[in-house]
Amino acid sequence: MTGAMYAAISGLKAHMQKLSVIGNNISNINTPGYKTSQALFSEAIYTTLTSGSNGSASAGGVNPSQLGYGCSVGSISMDMSTASFNADGNGMHCMIDGDGFFLTGDKPAATTNAETPPKTTLTETDPQNLELSRVGDFKFDSQGYLVDGRGNVVYGFVTYTTATNNTMDDVNNPKTSTQLVPIRLPIAAGTPTAPATTPAAGTPLYPTLDGTTKMNAYPAGSGNAITADSIAIDKATGKITAVNKADGSIAVVGYIALGTVANPNGVTRLQNGYYQAGEGAGNCTATSIGGAVTGYYNNKAAGDAGAVAVQSSGKTALITGGLESSGTDLATEIAEMITTQRGYQANTRIITVTDSMLEELVNMKR
């Protein structure tokens, strides 16, 4: 009889854990980009009372006799399918229409060489070490970095120039680096000094390459990021353009990158709506939305050792002007809550009945 009681206790624990999953889903019903979880039960261990046999020439076979000892939560899986679009009119807000994640994290380490003036270059960033997000609540901060609502910088492929004064002209058309770096507005040139070729104040200054591969962390010139009158994000390519308030020029800031993994449902949840491409998800790769950025990662040439072509995100694109809604279906969760409550209640009845039987057993001596 105690076996029935222990089986019921395992059922109580399993149903409480499932209710915790349901409660988390319902609590995040209005959380942008939230992905629901589902708890599935599995049978616990069994004790074999009698084994089965195939029978003989004179006797028939028998089936095994086994006693079960309850259930447990076998798995808690996520549903990473795309939810509905929630328009809010903010042009800097983006939703991923399809698979993939925004790549966010801290600013990368920089290395300064011994040149005069010294050049500071950004180290290569492995997408595997970045945090993944489905919430595109973006803005540019006071330093000109593209950040999300939690303050993490957003990674992508930025514009650079080969001009000696770091500006753009008809000859030095915008070029896109394939090194994965934080997206940042161009730096505004400071007050011009001799020689006369010094850019005018407020002129956008773009990063350059140190040699042929590494991105310079900051372009030459003083000042903060340019002041943008308006900023636009292209939904088909993720290209960010900004109108410079100082001279009215249009600056191509760069392209938002998306991280893709082999098994999106296998990512590990972190706090604040972030995910990590850990064990079970596969390797994380930075991709270009709509194949807008071509070439080889980290500005390598086709014949270079370790040259890997930048992959396209395929049919995945952006929807601007809003965020992805929560994936919680309230009707489904309420129904699951009711069945879970009744399952918990039924298990308590097993404990009550078992207790009553044990009481009768103890009272047999009276």
Side-chain angles (χ1 to χ4, degrees):
M1 285 186 289
T2 55
M5 182 173 288
Y6 287 126
I9 291 173
S10 71
L12 293 178
K13 292 180 179 178
H15 281 79
M16 279 301 300
Q17 290 173 330
K18 182 175 182 179
L19 189 62
S20 296
V21 173
I22 296 172
N24 189 55
N25 288 339
I26 294 178
S27 69
N28 285 282
I29 191 170
N30 290 316
T31 302
Y34 174 76
K35 301 302 178 184
T36 56
S37 295
Q38 181 183 26
L40 298 177
F41 293 161
S42 64
E43 300 168 90
I45 61 174
Y46 283 85
T47 296
T48 301
L49 302 179
T50 59
S51 59
S53 68
N54 293 327
S56 63
S58 59
V62 294
N63 296 328
S65 299
Q66 295 177 296
L67 281 178
Y69 286 90
C71 70
S72 62
V73 175
S75 66
I76 300 177
S77 57
M78 280 190 297
D79 180 7
M80 295 300 297
S81 58
T82 305
S84 59
F85 177 66
N86 183 18
D88 57 19
N90 190 328
M92 290 294 293
H93 285 182
C94 301
M95 167 185 162
I96 301 174
D97 186 16
D99 294 333
F101 303 87
F102 296 114
L103 296 168
T104 66
D106 297 329
K107 299 171 186 176
T111 303
T112 303
N113 61 22
E115 295 183 22
T116 304
K119 290 182 180 179
T120 302
T121 57
L122 299 177
T123 58
E124 297 176 1
T125 301
D126 186 352
Q128 197 77 20
N129 298 327
L130 296 176
E131 293 180 341
L132 311 177
S133 173
R134 292 282 298 188
V135 184
D137 53 341
F138 300 146
K139 64 179 180 180
F140 283 100
D141 68 5
S142 60
Q143 295 180 317
Y145 285 98
L146 184 65
V147 298
D148 63 16
R150 277 72 62 204
N152 276 2
V153 295
V154 181
Y155 277 72
F157 308 108
V158 300
T159 300
Y160 74 96
T161 181
T162 57
T164 56
N165 61 0
N166 297 83
T167 61
M168 292 292 180
D169 54 31
D170 293 336
V171 177
N172 299 287
N173 292 321
K175 298 174 174 60
T176 305
S177 167
T178 56
Q179 183 178 344
L180 190 65
V181 297
I183 297 175
R184 190 185 189 192
L185 291 169
I187 300 299
T191 303
T193 57
T197 56
T198 302
T203 300
L205 301 179
Y206 294 82
T208 59
L209 295 184
D210 183 10
T212 58
T213 58
K214 301 286 187 179
M215 290 290 298
N216 285 335
Y218 301 98
S222 60
N224 298 317
I226 63 171
T227 301
D229 268 340
S230 62
I231 299 171
I233 301 176
D234 184 73
K235 61 183 180 181
T237 63
K239 180 172 72 173
I240 302 175
T241 55
V243 178
N244 185 21
K245 185 175 182 179
D247 59 8
S249 63
I250 297 178
V252 179
V253 180
Y255 294 79
I256 296 174
L258 294 182
T260 60
V261 294
N263 178 22
N265 293 328
V267 295
T268 302
R269 285 188 192 267
L270 305 176
Q271 61 181 358
N272 295 324
Y274 293 114
Y275 305 92
Q276 188 75 47
E279 295 292 332
N283 292 331
C284 182
T285 304
T287 62
S288 167
I289 301 174
V293 178
T294 58
Y296 298 85
Y297 289 109
N298 299 315
N299 302 310
K300 292 183 179 292
D304 293 345
V308 178
V310 177
Q311 301 296 315
S312 170
S313 64
K315 295 182 179 179
T316 298
L318 300 179
I319 302 177
T320 58
L323 301 173
E324 183 178 10
S325 300
S326 171
T328 299
D329 184 335
L330 186 58
T332 299
E333 299 302 326
I334 292 296
E336 288 290 322
M337 181 173 63
I338 293 173
T339 57
T340 302
Q341 179 189 13
R342 293 307 181 190
Y344 186 91
Q345 186 179 38
N347 278 276
T348 62
R349 295 294 182 270
I350 293 295
I351 294 177
T352 302
V353 171
T354 305
D355 176 60
S356 177
M357 294 175 67
L358 289 172
E359 183 182 11
E360 292 296 327
L361 180 63
V362 172
N363 292 334
M364 284 179 62
K365 190 179 179 181
R366 293 181 180 176

